[in-house]
């Protein structure tokens, strides 16, 4: 589910990263005027399945590429695997300035067994329902909205904008953004990157958690529920899990200078 009222405000936030010698009002106004196209594109994206696994994103990548080529942009396709294209779309603006990346992923989680009509987008009042709306086809539609607005006003802006679309995020990302960073040099030289995925309601995520996979094996003597047993393999696992959970209480490192918490960002 996504809130269609938030489309313009999220677009405006990302647009602030591209420097301009004039007010951003024309750019924001262009995004607002394009609101219905953004919502219609979101519905098309939802209606184009891209569950991962299995990770076939060809159709949704073709849809995004067609939208961007339609406004005169060059779309570069990279194929770490045939069914999972990654897209890189550079936009050089009017004058030198910072290099900004907008990143989105094309795949979604597969719909649950109880999800009725997951690829039939439904609009109720100011919300859209469907598989992958929030994670993250709304973000994809916003990148296209920004590209459409920026293409019109490029001569008034400074810097470089690169749109990236990865085919693999839901299954770990090795063939998606990680692959792009390893294989496309220009992406390693950017000044800032916005990932337009959900990170809470109108919040900006400033960091990403890591991951640590742990396999626990416990051994104990056999037993039976009818007889007293002082210890078992299950008891050992419960104790081990409790110790692991205590790590959640460890203090976090302080944020770097100039970085504020999401609820303080404006």
């Amino acid at each position: 589910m996504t809130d269609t009222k938030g489309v313009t405000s999220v677009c405006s936030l990302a647009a602030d990263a591209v420097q301009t010698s004039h007010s951003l009002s024309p750019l924001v106004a262009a995004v607002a005027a394009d609101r219905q196209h953004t919502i219609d594109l979101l519905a098309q994206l939802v209606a184009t399945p891209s569950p991962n696994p299995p990770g076939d994103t060809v159709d949704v990548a073709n849809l995004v590429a067609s939208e961007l080529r339609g406004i005169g942009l060059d779309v570069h396709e990279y194929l770490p695997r045939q069914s999972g294209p990654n897209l890189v779309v550079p936009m050089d603006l009017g004058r030198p300035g910072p290099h900004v990346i907008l990143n989105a992923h094309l795949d979604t989680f597969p719909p649950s067994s109880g999800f009725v009509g997951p690829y039939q987008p439904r609009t109720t009042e100011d919300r859209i329902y469907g598989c992958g709306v929030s994670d993250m086809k709304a973000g994809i539609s916003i990148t296209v909205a920004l590209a459409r607005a920026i293409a019109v006003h490029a001569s008034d802006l400074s810097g470089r904008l690169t749109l990236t679309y990865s085919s693999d995020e839901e299954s770990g990302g090795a063939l998606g953004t990680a692959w792009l960073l390893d294989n496309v040099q220009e992406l390693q030289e950017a000044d800032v990157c916005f990932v337009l995925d959900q990170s809470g309601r109108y919040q900006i995520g400033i960091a990403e958690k890591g991951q640590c996979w742990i396999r626990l094996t416990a051994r104990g003597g056999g037993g039976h529920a009818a007889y007293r047993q002082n210890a078992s393999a299950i008891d050992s696992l419960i104790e081990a899990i409790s110790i692991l959970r205590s790590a959640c209480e460890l203090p976090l490192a302080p944020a770097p200078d100039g970085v504020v918490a999401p609820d303080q960002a404006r």
Side-chain angles (χ1 to χ4, degrees), residues 33-51:
D34 210 24
R35 181 175 181 271
Q36 190 56 52
H37 182 275
T38 304
I39 294 170
D40 292 343
L41 175 59
L42 172 55
Q44 288 182 269
L45 291 166
V46 172
T48 307
S50 54

Side-chain angles (χ1 to χ4, degrees), residues 118-191:
Y119 304 116
Q120 299 170 3
R122 302 178 304 284
T123 302
T124 303
E125 295 180 355
D126 59 351
R127 284 174 169 74
I128 297 177
Y129 296 84
C131 182
V133 170
S134 176
D135 186 13
M136 68 167 297
K137 291 186 172 178
I140 296 173
S141 64
I142 287 170
T143 64
V144 174
L146 281 166
R148 286 166 60 89
I150 289 171
V152 174
H153 297 279
S155 60
D156 297 327
L157 302 170
S158 301
R160 295 171 56 201
L161 178 66
T162 301
L163 310 176
T164 61
Y165 303 91
S166 71
S167 63
D168 173 30
E169 193 267 355
E170 304 294 5
S171 291
L175 297 179
T177 298
W179 189 95
L180 285 173
L181 288 172
D182 288 340
N183 291 276
V184 183
Q185 180 66 30
E186 65 190 79
L187 301 182
Q188 301 173 18
E189 301 167 352
D191 296 290

